[in-house]
Amino acid sequence: MSSSNIAPVKWAQRKDSLYITISLADVKDHTIDLTEKKITFSGVSGNQAYTLDLELFKEIEKEGSIWNVLPSSIQMKINKKEKEEEFWPRLLLDKVKEKTNVKIDWDKYVDEDEADGNEFDTGALDGGNDFGGMGGMGGMGGMGGMPGGMDFSKMMAGMGGMGGMPPGMDFSGMGGMGGEDDEGEDEEGDSDDEGLPDLEAADAPTEDN
């Protein structure tokens, strides 16, 4: 594998957000990071290594910004920090890098005076990852294999007749559940039999006969 190449980028914007596409297909071994002023990327496409280190023109927000890896590209919608300002004059702080590394995404481009009500189509980002959180790791709060993110402790607490079990009870010792009841039944049976005559003794002939 040869040395890293600069990944091709195209972009468009609205007053509140940026839409950035890394135009690489079938990306593998990728890492993407976002800070208030920078996007960094590395990955492999077509057996070639690619990197990006984009210092943005102004600050952005990680919270609510999302990205997704698609078969033909990596796409991301990034929220601007100042949402009511005018359009940025360019994506990058460095004009030279802007000219050599970045192109306009004409499929998503609109003039600034036509931007109101003309939001980005974010269908390609469905099921993507949130820069502000741990997107793609849903369900980690409970048992991963439990349906609907069921909380195991709540499930145990709600099982009939088991709510009062002492903490740390060994389930392996529960094979004899109901043993106390059996003993109680035996004791009750013994008590019910008390006072009844011994049938064999009652039928036995007496010496007088």
Side-chain angles (χ1 to χ4, degrees):
M1 187 180 297
S2 61
S3 59
S4 296
N5 303 285
I6 298 176
V9 174
K10 58 183 180 179
W11 79 298
Q13 67 176 315
R14 301 294 186 267
K15 288 184 177 180
D16 62 344
S17 59
L18 312 168
Y19 201 104
I20 298 174
T21 300
I22 300 174
S23 302
L24 295 174
D26 300 322
V27 177
K28 301 176 182 178
D29 302 327
H30 59 275
T31 59
I32 301 175
D33 190 33
L34 186 69
T35 66
E36 287 188 346
K37 284 284 301 235
K38 185 176 287 190
I39 301 171
T40 55
F41 159 81
S42 65
V44 177
S45 175
N47 205 35
Q48 293 287 328
Y50 290 88
T51 61
L52 274 178
D53 189 355
L54 304 178
E55 186 174 1
L56 302 175
F57 183 76
K58 287 190 176 182
E59 292 184 352
I60 50 88
E61 289 183 338
K62 292 181 68 171
E63 193 68 32
S65 296
I66 53 178
W67 60 280
N68 201 9
V69 179
L70 304 171
S72 61
S73 63
I74 296 176
Q75 299 185 25
M76 57 192 82
K77 179 177 178 286
I78 299 174
N79 294 329
K80 295 178 179 179
K81 188 171 184 179
E82 300 295 337
K83 296 179 173 55
E84 300 302 325
E85 290 190 352
E86 298 178 349
F87 269 23
W88 293 6
R90 58 185 181 274
L91 176 64
L92 304 183
L93 186 63
D94 189 322
K95 290 182 180 181
V96 175
K97 287 185 178 181
E98 179 88 10
K99 291 179 180 179
T100 57
N101 298 347
V102 179
K103 296 181 179 179
I104 299 294
D105 187 345
W106 295 109
D107 292 333
K108 298 183 181 299
Y109 174 86
V110 296
D111 289 327
E112 184 172 358
D113 56 2
E114 298 175 353
D116 291 342
N118 195 346
E119 302 298 329
F120 288 123
D121 178 2
T122 58
L125 298 174
D126 291 346
N129 303 278
D130 190 336
F131 279 112
M134 300 292 286
M137 296 183 67
M140 292 294 288
M143 297 286 289
M146 304 291 281
M150 182 183 293
D151 188 324
F152 184 73
S153 62
K154 291 182 179 179
M155 184 193 76
M156 291 303 299
M159 288 179 67
M162 298 181 69
M165 291 177 61
M169 183 171 184
D170 186 355
F171 283 91
S172 63
M174 294 177 62
M177 282 186 67
E180 293 183 359
D181 293 337
D182 294 339
E183 292 177 1
E185 290 175 3
D186 291 340
E187 291 176 359
E188 290 177 1
D190 293 345
S191 63
D192 291 341
D193 292 340
E194 289 179 1
L196 293 177
D198 189 331
L199 294 180
E200 294 181 359
D203 293 339
T206 60
E207 294 180 358
D208 295 338
N209 294 334

